[in-house]
Amino acid sequence: MIDLQEMLVKNLKAYDKQRDRSQQVEVGPSSIGGCRRQVWHELKQTPTTNHQTESLAAILGTFIHSGIEKAIRRDDPFGDNFLIEVEAEHEGLKGHVDLFVKDLGLVVDWKTTKVKSLRYFPSQQQRWQVQVYGWLLEKAGHKVNHVALVAIPRDGEMADIKAHVEPYDSPTAEAGIDWLNQVKSLVANNGEAPEPTESVFFCSRYCSYYDPSGEIGCPSSKK
């Protein structure tokens, strides 16, 4: 009898690895405001040390994004107002924007989460990310008025979907970009690795650079 769990896991991981975002080498807006140590390793192209990271939530998020992309096209029947999954780049910083509504000047980023995590939504990292998307679109010549984050709980109901909208603010975006530039400067000047900010519980499950020995990767904050 076929092992269905093994078949599904194998193919989900293979699918995830061949996606454009999985193959992206550059550090993008989604990493801004996260763990400085992880971004430092990404920039240094440190060999990954943790090959047992948990990716199901991220893969399900990808499928949900794909479904949303198809569903929302109903509100743009002529296909001339929505920019969906558009790539924007400026001065080496590249991002993939989930949705830009041109007539509203509205940037939208879909976030999949759990109901219990909604209390922390939106985080500073998420706000920086969507503001940087707005900054990239502005540099590409678009008029950006507002940015929005929409949290979709995988274990919730329609009523649990939560939207956060705020005015686009270039100084906020630039603060996030400055955060990234500080880490880039550390790497360029062979500075010491930043202190890790995440616990061993998180890193061992989700960080590709988790390394209990600390010889190559990161031993986590040990909390």
Side-chain angles (χ1 to χ4, degrees), residues 41 44-51 208-211 216-217:
H41 279 299
K44 286 181 68 68
Q45 297 186 30
T46 302
T48 56
T49 51
N50 182 9
H51 304 293
S208 299
Y209 301 103
Y210 174 65
D211 175 8
I216 299 176

Side-chain angles (χ1 to χ4, degrees), residues 105-123:
L106 176 64
V107 181
V108 182
D109 195 38
W110 313 113
K111 295 294 184 187
T112 53
T113 184
K114 293 183 178 180
V115 168
K116 67 179 182 180
S117 298
L118 289 173
R119 71 187 75 174
Y120 307 112
F121 174 82
S123 67

